[in-house]
Amino acid sequence: MNNKKIIVAIDGFSSSGKSTMARELAKRVGYVYVDSGAMYRAVTLYALRHGMVNADHAVNRKELVAALPSIHVSFQPAGADGVQHTLLNGEDVEKGIRDMQVSALVSPVAEIPEVRERLVDLQKKFGEHKGIVMDGRDIGTTVFPNAELKIFVCASPEERARRRLKEMQEKGENVSYDEVYNNVVERDRIDTTREVSPLRKAADAIELDNGDMTREQQMDRLLSHFDEALKKNCP
Ligand code: DC
């Protein structure tokens, strides 16, 4: 039995299905799963709740940066529902961070260098003992540039909007395809063009286009990359 552990970094565009893949992989191999996007979403929810977003939907950067020391994001391990819950200053905000209001504001919040610095530090700490699967935008490039396995997930914006719409409708949210599609495209634009840690594929990442793949096919592929990386790095 091989007890050595590796770090798995899964990056990709919004709604590419990377969180589902990362969560499932972590469960199968007994690793900790961290959804780094949830951390940016929790900070965004804090800004919304504390009046740091004006009528034009602009975030007051100065106020948010000043408040950072009082924003604590953590995770509660998966319970009976099998879902890991995000905590904001100890409060379970898993549902609130997924709504459209937060989705529309999270990319501008994630552009703020001080926000990134604070969350990246925390993400690095989560990986100190390896045995972790983390998904996000800059995990293979900035958070864990030495991760033993890096995956870059992609699918067309139309396919991703369809998936996100289905997910939101299942949760009872009343949104249209156009709203979701526009949000996906706008987030892609901001995520890929921001100055600090823009979304891009790390040179040593394996590209996985899951547009035409079932969940089982994606998992098979991911598990075989995982086994290979484990053999190579922990012989
Ligand atoms: O994966 P997600 O859609 O929940 O991420 C929400 C936002 O957070 C996304 O628009 C970009 C940002 N993000 C980021 O900038 N860096 C990460 N590592 C994860 C997410």
Side-chain angles (χ1 to χ4, degrees), residues 7-12 16-37 82 84 131-136 139 149 151 153 208 210 215 218-219 222-223 226:
I7 291 182
V8 183
I10 303 191
D11 288 302
S16 59
K18 60 189 181 322
S19 299
T20 310
M21 286 169 66
R23 191 183 305 118
E24 179 72 20
L25 175 66
K27 201 172 142 195
R28 297 262 193 120
V29 302
Y31 277 20
V32 170
Y33 164 61
V34 174
D35 173 356
S36 69
Q84 182 186 51
I132 189 170
V133 182
M134 191 179 291
D135 79 301
I139 311 306
L149 176 59
I151 303 284
V153 189
L208 202 155
N210 65 8
R215 261 166 88 157
Q218 293 174 43
M219 198 40 56
L222 205 50
L223 280 168
F226 177 85

Side-chain angles (χ1 to χ4, degrees), residues 18 36-37 40-41 106-107 110 116 136-138 187 191 194:
K18 60 189 181 322
S36 69
Y40 290 94
R41 285 172 179 272
V106 61
S107 283
R116 299 204 72 82
R137 304 294 190 285
D138 60 341
R187 282 207 282 156
D191 292 347
R194 69 167 172 243

